Amino acid sequence: QVQLVESGGGLVQAGGSLRLSCAASGRTYKIYTLGWFRQAPGKEREFVGRLRRIIGTTYYADSVKGRFTISTDNAKDTVYLQMNSLKPEDTAVYSCAAALSDFSGTASRVDDYDVWGQGTQVTVSS
């Protein structure tokens, strides 16, 4: 029904920037919330931030607040994660996810999302 494909990962030095993209296809009208998560080796998947698609509000994890920004191009059904002032601890596989139902709360849990992309690797060197 809905497919998500991430792109834009890579290797960057500490202090640098990257912009990740998440392109949605299929029945994109069903998407209420788009979220970004990351998973470092040996760690659990961690919430990064999310965008409420209709009202356009964002919410970020404290670890990235002020450095990461989520934006969207609705005409292209694409959401972006702009990452600035990157740190080595930001190294992880970053995945976008779509919630196909509306609900209250922060939408920061893995279980809040129904569809996941395959992920893109971000490596920050010190």
Side-chain angles (χ1 to χ4, degrees), residues 5-43:
V5 178
E6 303 94 336
S7 61
L11 173 65
V12 63
Q13 288 188 333
S17 298
L18 276 177
R19 190 178 79 158
L20 305 183
S21 300
C22 173
S25 61
R27 299 183 180 179
T28 58
Y29 62 88
K30 291 190 171 186
I31 299 174
Y32 281 87
T33 303
L34 282 160
W36 284 98
F37 288 77
R38 66 187 182 185
Q39 188 167 21
K43 295 188 177 181

PDB file of all heavy atoms in Angstrom, residues 5-43:
ATOM      1  N   VAL A   5      11.327   4.794   0.676  1.00  0.00           N
ATOM      2  CA  VAL A   5      12.711   4.570   0.258  1.00  0.00           C
ATOM      3  C   VAL A   5      13.562   5.742   0.734  1.00  0.00           C
ATOM      4  O   VAL A   5      13.313   6.887   0.350  1.00  0.00           O
ATOM      5  CB  VAL A   5      12.816   4.425  -1.269  1.00  0.00           C
ATOM      6  CG1 VAL A   5      14.277   4.242  -1.672  1.00  0.00           C
ATOM      7  CG2 VAL A   5      11.987   3.241  -1.759  1.00  0.00           C
ATOM      8  N   GLU A   6      14.572   5.439   1.545  1.00  0.00           N
ATOM      9  CA  GLU A   6      15.477   6.467   2.045  1.00  0.00           C
ATOM     10  C   GLU A   6      16.690   6.594   1.125  1.00  0.00           C
ATOM     11  O   GLU A   6      17.086   5.636   0.459  1.00  0.00           O
ATOM     12  CB  GLU A   6      15.973   6.150   3.455  1.00  0.00           C
ATOM     13  CG  GLU A   6      14.904   5.950   4.506  1.00  0.00           C
ATOM     14  CD  GLU A   6      14.530   4.501   4.680  1.00  0.00           C
ATOM     15  OE1 GLU A   6      14.725   3.714   3.731  1.00  0.00           O
ATOM     16  OE2 GLU A   6      14.057   4.143   5.773  1.00  0.00           O
ATOM     17  N   SER A   7      17.278   7.764   1.159  1.00  0.00           N
ATOM     18  CA  SER A   7      18.530   8.000   0.435  1.00  0.00           C
ATOM     19  C   SER A   7      19.264   9.150   1.103  1.00  0.00           C
ATOM     20  O   SER A   7      18.690   9.857   1.943  1.00  0.00           O
ATOM     21  CB  SER A   7      18.259   8.314  -1.040  1.00  0.00           C
ATOM     22  OG  SER A   7      17.472   9.481  -1.159  1.00  0.00           O
ATOM     23  N   GLY A   8      20.531   9.314   0.742  1.00  0.00           N
ATOM     24  CA  GLY A   8      21.292  10.468   1.219  1.00  0.00           C
ATOM     25  C   GLY A   8      22.293  10.174   2.311  1.00  0.00           C
ATOM     26  O   GLY A   8      23.010  11.073   2.739  1.00  0.00           O
ATOM     27  N   GLY A   9      22.373   8.929   2.760  1.00  0.00           N
ATOM     28  CA  GLY A   9      23.347   8.616   3.781  1.00  0.00           C
ATOM     29  C   GLY A   9      24.765   8.649   3.241  1.00  0.00           C
ATOM     30  O   GLY A   9      24.992   8.760   2.030  1.00  0.00           O
ATOM     31  N   GLY A  10      25.717   8.552   4.148  1.00  0.00           N
ATOM     32  CA  GLY A  10      27.112   8.563   3.720  1.00  0.00           C
ATOM     33  C   GLY A  10      28.045   8.788   4.883  1.00  0.00           C
ATOM     34  O   GLY A  10      27.654   8.678   6.047  1.00  0.00           O
ATOM     35  N   LEU A  11      29.285   9.105   4.537  1.00  0.00           N
ATOM     36  CA  LEU A  11      30.328   9.350   5.523  1.00  0.00           C
ATOM     37  C   LEU A  11      30.586  10.853   5.601  1.00  0.00           C
ATOM     38  O   LEU A  11      30.767  11.510   4.567  1.00  0.00           O
ATOM     39  CB  LEU A  11      31.611   8.615   5.114  1.00  0.00           C
ATOM     40  CG  LEU A  11      32.851   8.883   5.941  1.00  0.00           C
ATOM     41  CD1 LEU A  11      32.662   8.385   7.369  1.00  0.00           C
ATOM     42  CD2 LEU A  11      34.065   8.201   5.278  1.00  0.00           C
ATOM     43  N   VAL A  12      30.620  11.380   6.809  1.00  0.00           N
ATOM     44  CA  VAL A  12      30.847  12.807   6.999  1.00  0.00           C
ATOM     45  C   VAL A  12      31.701  13.008   8.247  1.00  0.00           C
ATOM     46  O   VAL A  12      31.656  12.192   9.182  1.00  0.00           O
ATOM     47  CB  VAL A  12      29.494  13.557   7.118  1.00  0.00           C
ATOM     48  CG1 VAL A  12      28.713  13.102   8.333  1.00  0.00           C
ATOM     49  CG2 VAL A  12      29.681  15.059   7.110  1.00  0.00           C
ATOM     50  N   GLN A  13      32.466  14.068   8.265  1.00  0.00           N
ATOM     51  CA  GLN A  13      33.271  14.372   9.438  1.00  0.00           C
ATOM     52  C   GLN A  13      32.409  15.025  10.522  1.00  0.00           C
ATOM     53  O   GLN A  13      31.385  15.656  10.224  1.00  0.00           O
ATOM     54  CB  GLN A  13      34.420  15.299   9.069  1.00  0.00           C
ATOM     55  CG  GLN A  13      35.512  14.630   8.257  1.00  0.00           C
ATOM     56  CD  GLN A  13      36.718  15.542   8.085  1.00  0.00           C
ATOM     57  OE1 GLN A  13      36.603  16.758   8.116  1.00  0.00           O
ATOM     58  NE2 GLN A  13      37.891  14.931   7.905  1.00  0.00           N
ATOM     59  N   ALA A  14      32.846  14.881  11.748  1.00  0.00           N
ATOM     60  CA  ALA A  14      32.156  15.529  12.861  1.00  0.00           C
ATOM     61  C   ALA A  14      32.045  17.030  12.602  1.00  0.00           C
ATOM     62  O   ALA A  14      32.995  17.660  12.111  1.00  0.00           O
ATOM     63  CB  ALA A  14      32.900  15.268  14.158  1.00  0.00           C
ATOM     64  N   GLY A  15      30.868  17.565  12.894  1.00  0.00           N
ATOM     65  CA  GLY A  15      30.606  18.968  12.624  1.00  0.00           C
ATOM     66  C   GLY A  15      29.978  19.230  11.278  1.00  0.00           C
ATOM     67  O   GLY A  15      29.498  20.336  11.012  1.00  0.00           O
ATOM     68  N   GLY A  16      29.969  18.230  10.429  1.00  0.00           N
ATOM     69  CA  GLY A  16      29.415  18.374   9.090  1.00  0.00           C
ATOM     70  C   GLY A  16      27.922  18.168   9.047  1.00  0.00           C
ATOM     71  O   GLY A  16      27.260  18.026  10.085  1.00  0.00           O
ATOM     72  N   SER A  17      27.392  18.171   7.818  1.00  0.00           N
ATOM     73  CA  SER A  17      25.946  18.065   7.606  1.00  0.00           C
ATOM     74  C   SER A  17      25.640  17.016   6.550  1.00  0.00           C
ATOM     75  O   SER A  17      26.454  16.741   5.661  1.00  0.00           O
ATOM     76  CB  SER A  17      25.379  19.419   7.139  1.00  0.00           C
ATOM     77  OG  SER A  17      25.578  20.415   8.109  1.00  0.00           O
ATOM     78  N   LEU A  18      24.444  16.468   6.662  1.00  0.00           N
ATOM     79  CA  LEU A  18      23.891  15.574   5.660  1.00  0.00           C
ATOM     80  C   LEU A  18      22.401  15.818   5.594  1.00  0.00           C
ATOM     81  O   LEU A  18      21.791  16.202   6.599  1.00  0.00           O
ATOM     82  CB  LEU A  18      24.128  14.103   6.020  1.00  0.00           C
ATOM     83  CG  LEU A  18      25.441  13.427   5.660  1.00  0.00           C
ATOM     84  CD1 LEU A  18      25.454  12.002   6.180  1.00  0.00           C
ATOM     85  CD2 LEU A  18      25.690  13.454   4.161  1.00  0.00           C
ATOM     86  N   ARG A  19      21.822  15.564   4.427  1.00  0.00           N
ATOM     87  CA  ARG A  19      20.377  15.603   4.302  1.00  0.00           C
ATOM     88  C   ARG A  19      19.892  14.261   3.784  1.00  0.00           C
ATOM     89  O   ARG A  19      20.282  13.828   2.695  1.00  0.00           O
ATOM     90  CB  ARG A  19      19.909  16.716   3.359  1.00  0.00           C
ATOM     91  CG  ARG A  19      18.402  16.908   3.407  1.00  0.00           C
ATOM     92  CD  ARG A  19      17.922  18.024   2.520  1.00  0.00           C
ATOM     93  NE  ARG A  19      17.838  17.637   1.124  1.00  0.00           N
ATOM     94  CZ  ARG A  19      17.080  18.238   0.212  1.00  0.00           C
ATOM     95  NH1 ARG A  19      16.323  19.277   0.578  1.00  0.00           N
ATOM     96  NH2 ARG A  19      17.071  17.829  -1.052  1.00  0.00           N
ATOM     97  N   LEU A  20      19.047  13.636   4.573  1.00  0.00           N
ATOM     98  CA  LEU A  20      18.440  12.378   4.172  1.00  0.00           C
ATOM     99  C   LEU A  20      17.076  12.646   3.547  1.00  0.00           C
ATOM    100  O   LEU A  20      16.387  13.591   3.936  1.00  0.00           O
ATOM    101  CB  LEU A  20      18.262  11.444   5.372  1.00  0.00           C
ATOM    102  CG  LEU A  20      19.507  11.146   6.198  1.00  0.00           C
ATOM    103  CD1 LEU A  20      19.171  10.152   7.299  1.00  0.00           C
ATOM    104  CD2 LEU A  20      20.644  10.660   5.334  1.00  0.00           C
ATOM    105  N   SER A  21      16.707  11.802   2.603  1.00  0.00           N
ATOM    106  CA  SER A  21      15.397  11.895   1.962  1.00  0.00           C
ATOM    107  C   SER A  21      14.640  10.601   2.176  1.00  0.00           C
ATOM    108  O   SER A  21      15.233   9.523   2.244  1.00  0.00           O
ATOM    109  CB  SER A  21      15.544  12.143   0.456  1.00  0.00           C
ATOM    110  OG  SER A  21      16.220  13.336   0.201  1.00  0.00           O
ATOM    111  N   CYS A  22      13.328  10.717   2.259  1.00  0.00           N
ATOM    112  CA  CYS A  22      12.459   9.552   2.361  1.00  0.00           C
ATOM    113  C   CYS A  22      11.325   9.766   1.374  1.00  0.00           C
ATOM    114  O   CYS A  22      10.470  10.643   1.578  1.00  0.00           O
ATOM    115  CB  CYS A  22      11.911   9.399   3.774  1.00  0.00           C
ATOM    116  SG  CYS A  22      10.668   8.109   3.949  1.00  0.00           S
ATOM    117  N   ALA A  23      11.347   8.995   0.305  1.00  0.00           N
ATOM    118  CA  ALA A  23      10.334   9.123  -0.737  1.00  0.00           C
ATOM    119  C   ALA A  23       9.232   8.098  -0.510  1.00  0.00           C
ATOM    120  O   ALA A  23       9.506   6.896  -0.411  1.00  0.00           O
ATOM    121  CB  ALA A  23      10.960   8.920  -2.109  1.00  0.00           C
ATOM    122  N   ALA A  24       8.008   8.596  -0.438  1.00  0.00           N
ATOM    123  CA  ALA A  24       6.859   7.718  -0.233  1.00  0.00           C
ATOM    124  C   ALA A  24       6.154   7.485  -1.559  1.00  0.00           C
ATOM    125  O   ALA A  24       6.075   8.374  -2.406  1.00  0.00           O
ATOM    126  CB  ALA A  24       5.898   8.343   0.772  1.00  0.00           C
ATOM    127  N   SER A  25       5.651   6.279  -1.737  1.00  0.00           N
ATOM    128  CA  SER A  25       4.890   5.954  -2.941  1.00  0.00           C
ATOM    129  C   SER A  25       3.733   5.039  -2.570  1.00  0.00           C
ATOM    130  O   SER A  25       3.675   4.507  -1.463  1.00  0.00           O
ATOM    131  CB  SER A  25       5.786   5.298  -3.998  1.00  0.00           C
ATOM    132  OG  SER A  25       6.326   4.091  -3.499  1.00  0.00           O
ATOM    133  N   GLY A  26       2.840   4.843  -3.534  1.00  0.00           N
ATOM    134  CA  GLY A  26       1.659   4.032  -3.261  1.00  0.00           C
ATOM    135  C   GLY A  26       0.534   4.911  -2.742  1.00  0.00           C
ATOM    136  O   GLY A  26       0.360   6.038  -3.189  1.00  0.00           O
ATOM    137  N   ARG A  27      -0.200   4.412  -1.781  1.00  0.00           N
ATOM    138  CA  ARG A  27      -1.350   5.140  -1.237  1.00  0.00           C
ATOM    139  C   ARG A  27      -0.908   6.128  -0.166  1.00  0.00           C
ATOM    140  O   ARG A  27      -1.220   5.988   1.017  1.00  0.00           O
ATOM    141  CB  ARG A  27      -2.371   4.150  -0.700  1.00  0.00           C
ATOM    142  CG  ARG A  27      -2.904   3.221  -1.789  1.00  0.00           C
ATOM    143  CD  ARG A  27      -3.969   2.276  -1.276  1.00  0.00           C
ATOM    144  NE  ARG A  27      -4.470   1.404  -2.345  1.00  0.00           N
ATOM    145  CZ  ARG A  27      -5.393   0.472  -2.165  1.00  0.00           C
ATOM    146  NH1 ARG A  27      -5.922   0.293  -0.971  1.00  0.00           N
ATOM    147  NH2 ARG A  27      -5.784  -0.270  -3.184  1.00  0.00           N
ATOM    148  N   THR A  28      -0.172   7.135  -0.607  1.00  0.00           N
ATOM    149  CA  THR A  28       0.438   8.075   0.341  1.00  0.00           C
ATOM    150  C   THR A  28      -0.596   8.912   1.089  1.00  0.00           C
ATOM    151  O   THR A  28      -0.285   9.473   2.135  1.00  0.00           O
ATOM    152  CB  THR A  28       1.419   8.990  -0.396  1.00  0.00           C
ATOM    153  OG1 THR A  28       0.708   9.683  -1.429  1.00  0.00           O
ATOM    154  CG2 THR A  28       2.559   8.188  -1.005  1.00  0.00           C
ATOM    155  N   TYR A  29      -1.807   9.001   0.575  1.00  0.00           N
ATOM    156  CA  TYR A  29      -2.848   9.758   1.271  1.00  0.00           C
ATOM    157  C   TYR A  29      -3.191   9.127   2.619  1.00  0.00           C
ATOM    158  O   TYR A  29      -3.808   9.758   3.469  1.00  0.00           O
ATOM    159  CB  TYR A  29      -4.102   9.852   0.411  1.00  0.00           C
ATOM    160  CG  TYR A  29      -4.743   8.527   0.078  1.00  0.00           C
ATOM    161  CD1 TYR A  29      -5.687   7.959   0.919  1.00  0.00           C
ATOM    162  CD2 TYR A  29      -4.395   7.833  -1.079  1.00  0.00           C
ATOM    163  CE1 TYR A  29      -6.262   6.740   0.617  1.00  0.00           C
ATOM    164  CE2 TYR A  29      -4.968   6.615  -1.378  1.00  0.00           C
ATOM    165  CZ  TYR A  29      -5.903   6.063  -0.529  1.00  0.00           C
ATOM    166  OH  TYR A  29      -6.466   4.854  -0.831  1.00  0.00           O
ATOM    167  N   LYS A  30      -2.778   7.878   2.809  1.00  0.00           N
ATOM    168  CA  LYS A  30      -3.061   7.184   4.067  1.00  0.00           C
ATOM    169  C   LYS A  30      -2.071   7.564   5.174  1.00  0.00           C
ATOM    170  O   LYS A  30      -2.259   7.193   6.319  1.00  0.00           O
ATOM    171  CB  LYS A  30      -3.002   5.677   3.858  1.00  0.00           C
ATOM    172  CG  LYS A  30      -4.136   5.119   3.011  1.00  0.00           C
ATOM    173  CD  LYS A  30      -4.139   3.606   3.061  1.00  0.00           C
ATOM    174  CE  LYS A  30      -5.389   3.042   2.394  1.00  0.00           C
ATOM    175  NZ  LYS A  30      -5.476   1.571   2.570  1.00  0.00           N
ATOM    176  N   ILE A  31      -1.015   8.299   4.831  1.00  0.00           N
ATOM    177  CA  ILE A  31       0.023   8.606   5.803  1.00  0.00           C
ATOM    178  C   ILE A  31      -0.381   9.785   6.671  1.00  0.00           C
ATOM    179  O   ILE A  31      -0.619  10.875   6.166  1.00  0.00           O
ATOM    180  CB  ILE A  31       1.361   8.910   5.103  1.00  0.00           C
ATOM    181  CG1 ILE A  31       1.816   7.692   4.292  1.00  0.00           C
ATOM    182  CG2 ILE A  31       2.415   9.293   6.131  1.00  0.00           C
ATOM    183  CD1 ILE A  31       3.057   7.963   3.455  1.00  0.00           C
ATOM    184  N   TYR A  32      -0.441   9.571   7.971  1.00  0.00           N
ATOM    185  CA  TYR A  32      -0.735  10.643   8.914  1.00  0.00           C
ATOM    186  C   TYR A  32       0.541  11.251   9.497  1.00  0.00           C
ATOM    187  O   TYR A  32       0.642  12.452   9.679  1.00  0.00           O
ATOM    188  CB  TYR A  32      -1.605  10.132  10.063  1.00  0.00           C
ATOM    189  CG  TYR A  32      -3.053  10.004   9.713  1.00  0.00           C
ATOM    190  CD1 TYR A  32      -3.548   8.840   9.130  1.00  0.00           C
ATOM    191  CD2 TYR A  32      -3.935  11.043   9.953  1.00  0.00           C
ATOM    192  CE1 TYR A  32      -4.892   8.729   8.799  1.00  0.00           C
ATOM    193  CE2 TYR A  32      -5.285  10.940   9.619  1.00  0.00           C
ATOM    194  CZ  TYR A  32      -5.743   9.773   9.046  1.00  0.00           C
ATOM    195  OH  TYR A  32      -7.072   9.662   8.721  1.00  0.00           O
ATOM    196  N   THR A  33       1.498  10.399   9.790  1.00  0.00           N
ATOM    197  CA  THR A  33       2.725  10.843  10.433  1.00  0.00           C
ATOM    198  C   THR A  33       3.915  10.149   9.779  1.00  0.00           C
ATOM    199  O   THR A  33       3.854   8.954   9.465  1.00  0.00           O
ATOM    200  CB  THR A  33       2.716  10.499  11.933  1.00  0.00           C
ATOM    201  OG1 THR A  33       1.571  11.102  12.541  1.00  0.00           O
ATOM    202  CG2 THR A  33       3.973  11.001  12.626  1.00  0.00           C
ATOM    203  N   LEU A  34       4.975  10.912   9.570  1.00  0.00           N
ATOM    204  CA  LEU A  34       6.239  10.348   9.072  1.00  0.00           C
ATOM    205  C   LEU A  34       7.286  10.549  10.143  1.00  0.00           C
ATOM    206  O   LEU A  34       7.471  11.670  10.633  1.00  0.00           O
ATOM    207  CB  LEU A  34       6.663  11.030   7.776  1.00  0.00           C
ATOM    208  CG  LEU A  34       5.906  10.541   6.534  1.00  0.00           C
ATOM    209  CD1 LEU A  34       5.999  11.552   5.418  1.00  0.00           C
ATOM    210  CD2 LEU A  34       6.466   9.204   6.087  1.00  0.00           C
ATOM    211  N   GLY A  35       7.958   9.489  10.477  1.00  0.00           N
ATOM    212  CA  GLY A  35       8.961   9.558  11.526  1.00  0.00           C
ATOM    213  C   GLY A  35      10.324   9.128  11.031  1.00  0.00           C
ATOM    214  O   GLY A  35      10.449   8.428  10.019  1.00  0.00           O
ATOM    215  N   TRP A  36      11.336   9.565  11.745  1.00  0.00           N
ATOM    216  CA  TRP A  36      12.712   9.126  11.506  1.00  0.00           C
ATOM    217  C   TRP A  36      13.215   8.432  12.764  1.00  0.00           C
ATOM    218  O   TRP A  36      13.036   8.945  13.876  1.00  0.00           O
ATOM    219  CB  TRP A  36      13.620  10.295  11.176  1.00  0.00           C
ATOM    220  CG  TRP A  36      13.476  10.830   9.791  1.00  0.00           C
ATOM    221  CD1 TRP A  36      12.745  11.911   9.403  1.00  0.00           C
ATOM    222  CD2 TRP A  36      14.090  10.322   8.602  1.00  0.00           C
ATOM    223  NE1 TRP A  36      12.862  12.101   8.046  1.00  0.00           N
ATOM    224  CE2 TRP A  36      13.685  11.134   7.528  1.00  0.00           C
ATOM    225  CE3 TRP A  36      14.950   9.248   8.338  1.00  0.00           C
ATOM    226  CZ2 TRP A  36      14.106  10.922   6.214  1.00  0.00           C
ATOM    227  CZ3 TRP A  36      15.365   9.039   7.033  1.00  0.00           C
ATOM    228  CH2 TRP A  36      14.944   9.862   5.988  1.00  0.00           C
ATOM    229  N   PHE A  37      13.847   7.291  12.568  1.00  0.00           N
ATOM    230  CA  PHE A  37      14.454   6.528  13.645  1.00  0.00           C
ATOM    231  C   PHE A  37      15.883   6.185  13.240  1.00  0.00           C
ATOM    232  O   PHE A  37      16.242   6.255  12.069  1.00  0.00           O
ATOM    233  CB  PHE A  37      13.671   5.230  13.900  1.00  0.00           C
ATOM    234  CG  PHE A  37      12.347   5.437  14.552  1.00  0.00           C
ATOM    235  CD1 PHE A  37      11.270   5.900  13.810  1.00  0.00           C
ATOM    236  CD2 PHE A  37      12.163   5.177  15.897  1.00  0.00           C
ATOM    237  CE1 PHE A  37      10.018   6.097  14.408  1.00  0.00           C
ATOM    238  CE2 PHE A  37      10.930   5.371  16.501  1.00  0.00           C
ATOM    239  CZ  PHE A  37       9.864   5.828  15.751  1.00  0.00           C
ATOM    240  N   ARG A  38      16.677   5.790  14.203  1.00  0.00           N
ATOM    241  CA  ARG A  38      18.025   5.341  13.903  1.00  0.00           C
ATOM    242  C   ARG A  38      18.397   4.178  14.802  1.00  0.00           C
ATOM    243  O   ARG A  38      17.865   4.032  15.901  1.00  0.00           O
ATOM    244  CB  ARG A  38      19.032   6.487  14.057  1.00  0.00           C
ATOM    245  CG  ARG A  38      19.187   7.000  15.492  1.00  0.00           C
ATOM    246  CD  ARG A  38      20.072   8.240  15.485  1.00  0.00           C
ATOM    247  NE  ARG A  38      20.293   8.741  16.832  1.00  0.00           N
ATOM    248  CZ  ARG A  38      20.939   9.866  17.101  1.00  0.00           C
ATOM    249  NH1 ARG A  38      21.414  10.617  16.117  1.00  0.00           N
ATOM    250  NH2 ARG A  38      21.108  10.251  18.357  1.00  0.00           N
ATOM    251  N   GLN A  39      19.316   3.372  14.309  1.00  0.00           N
ATOM    252  CA  GLN A  39      19.775   2.224  15.079  1.00  0.00           C
ATOM    253  C   GLN A  39      21.270   2.060  14.895  1.00  0.00           C
ATOM    254  O   GLN A  39      21.741   1.829  13.775  1.00  0.00           O
ATOM    255  CB  GLN A  39      19.046   0.948  14.666  1.00  0.00           C
ATOM    256  CG  GLN A  39      19.347  -0.234  15.568  1.00  0.00           C
ATOM    257  CD  GLN A  39      18.399  -1.393  15.350  1.00  0.00           C
ATOM    258  OE1 GLN A  39      17.768  -1.512  14.310  1.00  0.00           O
ATOM    259  NE2 GLN A  39      18.285  -2.266  16.337  1.00  0.00           N
ATOM    260  N   ALA A  40      21.986   2.201  16.001  1.00  0.00           N
ATOM    261  CA  ALA A  40      23.430   1.997  15.999  1.00  0.00           C
ATOM    262  C   ALA A  40      23.714   0.526  16.299  1.00  0.00           C
ATOM    263  O   ALA A  40      22.890  -0.162  16.903  1.00  0.00           O
ATOM    264  CB  ALA A  40      24.071   2.894  17.042  1.00  0.00           C
ATOM    265  N   PRO A  41      24.887   0.032  15.920  1.00  0.00           N
ATOM    266  CA  PRO A  41      25.227  -1.373  16.166  1.00  0.00           C
ATOM    267  C   PRO A  41      25.114  -1.713  17.645  1.00  0.00           C
ATOM    268  O   PRO A  41      25.644  -0.995  18.501  1.00  0.00           O
ATOM    269  CB  PRO A  41      26.665  -1.472  15.672  1.00  0.00           C
ATOM    270  CG  PRO A  41      26.786  -0.406  14.659  1.00  0.00           C
ATOM    271  CD  PRO A  41      25.931   0.720  15.139  1.00  0.00           C
ATOM    272  N   GLY A  42      24.427  -2.799  17.937  1.00  0.00           N
ATOM    273  CA  GLY A  42      24.300  -3.262  19.307  1.00  0.00           C
ATOM    274  C   GLY A  42      23.323  -2.495  20.157  1.00  0.00           C
ATOM    275  O   GLY A  42      23.205  -2.745  21.360  1.00  0.00           O
ATOM    276  N   LYS A  43      22.603  -1.543  19.545  1.00  0.00           N
ATOM    277  CA  LYS A  43      21.651  -0.729  20.301  1.00  0.00           C
ATOM    278  C   LYS A  43      20.245  -0.885  19.739  1.00  0.00           C
ATOM    279  O   LYS A  43      20.051  -1.317  18.600  1.00  0.00           O
ATOM    280  CB  LYS A  43      22.067   0.739  20.277  1.00  0.00           C
ATOM    281  CG  LYS A  43      23.368   1.023  20.988  1.00  0.00           C
ATOM    282  CD  LYS A  43      23.614   2.514  21.094  1.00  0.00           C
ATOM    283  CE  LYS A  43      24.879   2.811  21.879  1.00  0.00           C
ATOM    284  NZ  LYS A  43      25.114   4.281  22.015  1.00  0.00           N
TER     285      LYS A  43
END
